[in-house]
Amino acid sequence: MLTLLHHCGRNLLTFRTLQIVNKSYYATEMGKRVAVVLAGCGVYDGSEIHEASAVLVHLSRGGASVNMFAPNIDQMHVVDHLKGEPNQEKRNVLVESARLARGNIQDMSKLSVKDHDAIILPGGFGAAKNLCTWAVQGKDCSVNEEVKAALQAFHGEGKPIGLCCISPVIAAKVFPGCEVTVGKENDDKYPNTTDTAAAISQLGCKHVCKSVGESHVDEKNKLVTTAAFMCDAPIHEIYDGIGTMVKDVLKLA
């Protein structure tokens, strides 16, 4: 009986020790507060829905708490996603982004760097049309002032910034000399990467070739980027690559 009690007591102690260790681990490594910036709803004129969803799923799996934001501005234009053509509608970026956020979203002007440990921007043409004007001006683009201010604030505090698909070009515009990836150059699976990488280089930044399942970490600037739908890849590969980016962001946070 004494032996049994001894073993039970030791097992209970071990269990409680594991509980304390796990609680400490989740308190220090998990539970990061992450701001996610959306650019509308839909690949051709807003945030890419699958990318945004993947970011949110991986953040949830990583134990992060998330606040979503979007600029309260008109979209550059509205695209009929069935026809793939612009139409005459007018839509608001914040209102459309609320579709992705299930209504739980705030005006970009309310984003505070002090309330967050990291920031992530999914891709989609909205990142290149509404968050900046890369889609029409390339390297000569301008970045939305609220988006620019937020990125500079996180950078200034040494807090990580995650970007995927086309959104790394925003970092290239805001942070001269930084390193990003938008995929692999001179590869048919990455049809738009070569020209985009050339423009990034012209901005004085370094483009790093990475496959869709990888992310690149610019340790100096705490930028984490991945190609996502810059690659013609199966959706699970896009999902996994975004997971790598999110994981690296949380490690840096």
Side-chain angles (χ1 to χ4, degrees), residues 43-44 125 134 165-166 169 181-200 207 227-232:
V43 58
Y44 298 130
F125 279 100
W134 185 279
C165 195
I166 193 62
V169 301
T181 188
V182 287
K184 285 189 173 183
E185 299 173 52
N186 303 310
D187 187 319
D188 290 343
K189 287 184 66 178
Y190 301 78
N192 300 306
T193 292
T194 301
D195 290 344
T196 306
I200 288 170
H207 179 259
F229 277 108
M230 291 294 285
C231 179
D232 290 335

Side-chain angles (χ1 to χ4, degrees), residues 3-232:
T3 301
L4 179 60
L5 288 173
H6 173 72
H7 284 299
C8 288
R10 186 174 62 184
N11 289 340
L12 181 60
L13 178 62
T14 301
F15 176 70
R16 286 177 176 169
T17 301
L18 285 173
Q19 280 186 315
I20 293 171
V21 170
N22 284 337
K23 184 176 180 180
S24 175
Y25 172 78
Y26 278 93
T28 56
E29 298 296 330
M30 316 301 264
K32 303 299 183 181
R33 303 163 302 167
V34 181
V36 174
V37 178
L38 300 178
C41 181
V43 58
Y44 298 130
D45 57 13
S47 290
E48 210 294 321
I49 294 172
H50 300 294
E51 290 180 9
S53 178
V55 165
L56 296 175
V57 169
H58 286 295
L59 284 172
S60 176
R61 181 165 287 135
S65 61
V66 176
N67 289 313
M68 286 177 271
F69 300 88
N72 187 7
I73 58 174
D74 287 338
Q75 293 182 187
M76 190 190 90
H77 62 186
V78 177
V79 176
D80 181 326
H81 280 57
L82 183 61
K83 296 179 179 178
E85 300 173 353
N87 58 35
Q88 299 304 310
E89 287 185 60
K90 289 189 180 295
R91 297 190 184 185
N92 178 278
V93 174
L94 177 59
V95 172
E96 291 303 298
S97 297
R99 293 174 179 271
L100 281 174
R102 297 171 62 87
N104 187 16
I105 194 167
Q106 301 176 65
D107 191 315
M108 189 77 189
S109 63
K110 296 181 180 179
L111 198 167
S112 170
V113 65
K114 293 181 180 180
D115 295 333
H116 299 89
D117 301 301
I119 186 171
I120 294 179
L121 278 64
F125 279 100
K129 293 178 177 179
N130 304 325
L131 304 187
C132 72
T133 58
W134 185 279
V136 291
Q137 293 180 301
K139 66 180 180 60
D140 298 318
C141 73
S142 60
V143 178
N144 173 275
E145 287 299 323
E146 290 179 343
V147 173
K148 182 178 179 180
L151 294 179
Q152 289 176 329
F154 277 85
H155 185 264
E157 293 286 334
K159 295 181 177 181
I161 299 169
L163 309 106
C164 61
C165 195
I166 193 62
S167 67
V169 301
I170 301 175
K173 187 68 180 182
V174 175
F175 306 117
C178 71
E179 299 178 358
V180 298
T181 188
V182 287
K184 285 189 173 183
E185 299 173 52
N186 303 310
D187 187 319
D188 290 343
K189 287 184 66 178
Y190 301 78
N192 300 306
T193 292
T194 301
D195 290 344
T196 306
I200 288 170
S201 297
Q202 289 170 14
L203 287 171
C205 300
K206 180 180 179 181
H207 179 259
V208 181
C209 288
K210 291 285 184 177
S211 69
V212 67
E214 300 176 302
S215 64
H216 176 69
V217 180
D218 178 344
E219 298 282 356
K220 178 181 177 181
N221 292 291
K222 287 197 172 182
L223 296 175
V224 187
T225 53
T226 191
F229 277 108
M230 291 294 285
C231 179
D232 290 335

